[in-house]
Amino acid sequence: MERKLTRQIHVGPVPVGGGAPIPVQSMCNTPTADAKATLEQIARLADAGCEIIRLAVPDQAAADALPEIVRHAPIPVVADIHFDHRLALAAAKAGVHKIRINPGNIGGAENVRRVAEACRERGIPIRVGVNGGSLERRLLERYGRPTPEALVESARGHIELLRRCDFDDIALSMKSSTVPLTIAAYRLAAEAFPYPLHVGVTETGTAYHGVIRSAVGIGTLLSEGIGDTIRVSLTADPVEEVRAGIAILKAAGVRREGVRLVACPTCGRTQIDLIGLAHAVEERLRGIDRDITVAVMGCVVNGPGEAREADYGVAGGKDCGILFRKGETVGKYPADRLCDALIDLICREEAIDEKSRT
């Protein structure tokens, strides 16, 4: 897949755009003013694979906590600002790595200039966040409703505000809660602007429906080469956003590192608790950081053949199953030992590989 080449910005040490790997973002749901709770959540998110974290900064108490959070966070911190430009100035002074604003709602051109100058002096990029649910009234009157063209026109106006302030270190998002609208808006933006695109579908809902809607929206755009960083927005633990984002990148073929789990659907030939086994293997694999494919199959006759391209796998039979590597059987085990045998094999060979590298 050929990605659309955009300008590159740096969110702390993380490059975004310009062909760089696509980082996964999330947003804390702790009160930012509670630095201890926020740092604890950031640590959990970083362990899950989050590469950039965004924090709401709704008031001065939240802004006051930013220096400590920025100092101790293991990943770059983005401050999310609305309405009060003074909070953006405080965030810049605190050393955040990016600021997300809507330049049209922080109090006029002079306030935009102050924020742009503060960010330019410190090398902090700004994400212009356009949202279908908060379009300017003039655009709603002109287009009648949120449309892709309206979102792009809104973005263009905000970008021009920043460029008049001699600021061009910009990322852009064009989010909507409607998947087709989001896709269409990003397609237009990719043609209209050179800036890196932060891709996501907003307000997608609870984990089940949210992951589906995000996978369709984000995955479609990624498959077209559109997108430089992503966030899956879920009404759920933010760790689930990160896991879903990584899974979408892998499914779209733009990220290969890490374990890929494949499993066959159940059918009338299945003689083992395949669903339980697949979930158990998935959970145990979360602690393994290797670029491998692992298969969990339900049939000992066809399983190894169907999953021949997998590095490791198990195939269930009647109360038992086989363990295989690269399609070749390496052992037979009772059903209750299959998961342990699989993980032991992977970990044993991982240790050998690690020793050979050192």
Side-chain angles (χ1 to χ4, degrees):
M1 171 200 322
E2 184 176 349
R3 288 175 57 193
K4 293 186 182 296
L5 195 63
T6 58
R7 292 183 187 175
Q8 188 170 96
I9 65 171
H10 281 81
V11 184
V14 178
V16 176
I22 299 173
V24 174
Q25 304 194 25
S26 186
M27 188 169 184
C28 283
N29 59 13
T30 54
T32 304
D34 187 341
K36 182 176 183 293
T38 299
L39 283 167
E40 288 173 352
Q41 187 171 70
I42 293 173
R44 287 198 305 115
L45 289 164
D47 287 344
C50 185
E51 294 153 292
I52 298 172
I53 186 63
R54 181 157 49 111
L55 309 178
V57 186
D59 51 35
Q60 190 59 47
D64 290 342
L66 287 176
E68 181 180 356
I69 293 170
V70 171
R71 188 162 52 248
H72 296 291
I75 53 179
V77 174
V78 179
D80 191 282
I81 310 292
H82 289 277
F83 308 120
D84 191 340
H85 79 285
R86 294 170 298 182
L87 297 175
L89 296 177
K93 186 176 180 181
V96 300
H97 304 98
K98 185 170 72 172
I99 290 178
R100 187 272 190 188
I101 60 172
N102 179 332
N105 74 9
I106 59 171
E110 187 55 36
N111 289 342
V112 172
R113 182 174 298 280
R114 291 189 182 102
V115 174
E117 288 175 352
C119 289
R120 184 172 59 250
E121 290 170 2
R122 295 170 173 85
I124 300 171
I126 291 175
R127 170 158 73 93
V128 174
V130 177
N131 192 304
S134 57
L135 280 175
E136 300 94 307
R137 181 178 298 176
R138 65 176 179 83
L139 293 176
L140 290 175
E141 291 174 350
R142 177 177 176 182
Y143 290 95
R145 57 185 174 82
T147 66
E149 294 79 10
L151 267 65
V152 168
E153 186 171 334
S154 177
R156 183 174 285 109
H158 298 325
I159 289 167
E160 288 174 356
L161 269 176
L162 290 173
R163 294 186 67 180
R164 285 199 296 269
C165 301
D166 195 28
F167 190 91
D168 206 36
D169 195 11
I170 294 169
L172 179 62
S173 62
M174 312 284 297
K175 296 184 180 181
S176 167
S177 58
T178 304
V179 174
L181 172 57
T182 298
I183 293 171
Y186 275 107
R187 284 171 175 163
L188 289 179
E191 295 298 326
F193 306 114
Y195 305 108
L197 294 174
H198 170 115
V199 172
V201 182
T202 194
E203 300 161 357
T204 60
T206 54
Y208 175 78
H209 291 288
V211 168
I212 292 173
R213 294 170 69 191
S214 296
V216 172
I218 297 172
T220 297
L221 292 164
L222 292 175
S223 71
E224 296 176 5
I226 298 171
D228 299 287
T229 181
I230 68 169
R231 185 217 171 171
V232 175
S233 299
L234 301 176
T235 309
D237 186 329
V239 168
E240 295 304 313
E241 296 186 351
V242 176
R243 290 174 178 163
I246 293 171
I248 290 170
L249 288 175
K250 290 180 181 179
V254 295
R255 177 177 289 199
R256 296 295 297 170
E257 70 269 18
V259 177
R260 293 170 297 283
L261 176 66
V262 297
C264 67
T266 58
C267 72
R269 292 191 300 270
T270 305
Q271 295 179 294
I272 195 171
D273 178 14
L274 184 63
I275 295 174
L277 178 60
H279 281 290
V281 171
E282 181 179 47
E283 185 62 32
R284 296 280 296 277
L285 288 173
R286 282 182 177 161
I288 297 175
D289 184 20
R290 291 185 64 191
D291 185 11
I292 56 174
T293 298
V294 178
V296 179
M297 312 302 289
C299 176
V300 294
V301 176
N302 296 325
E306 291 174 352
R308 186 174 289 111
E309 300 306 313
D311 297 285
Y312 305 94
V314 291
K318 184 173 175 56
D319 301 322
C320 67
I322 59 171
L323 174 66
F324 56 91
R325 181 201 299 111
K326 296 289 187 182
E328 298 294 328
T329 301
V330 297
K332 182 177 180 179
Y333 297 88
D336 61 359
R337 289 193 55 208
L338 267 180
C339 181
D340 287 340
L342 173 65
I343 300 302
D344 287 347
L345 175 63
I346 294 171
C347 291
R348 187 164 63 248
E349 296 199 349
E350 179 182 23
I352 293 172
D353 288 347
E354 180 63 28
K355 186 175 180 179
S356 67
R357 287 194 294 269
T358 58

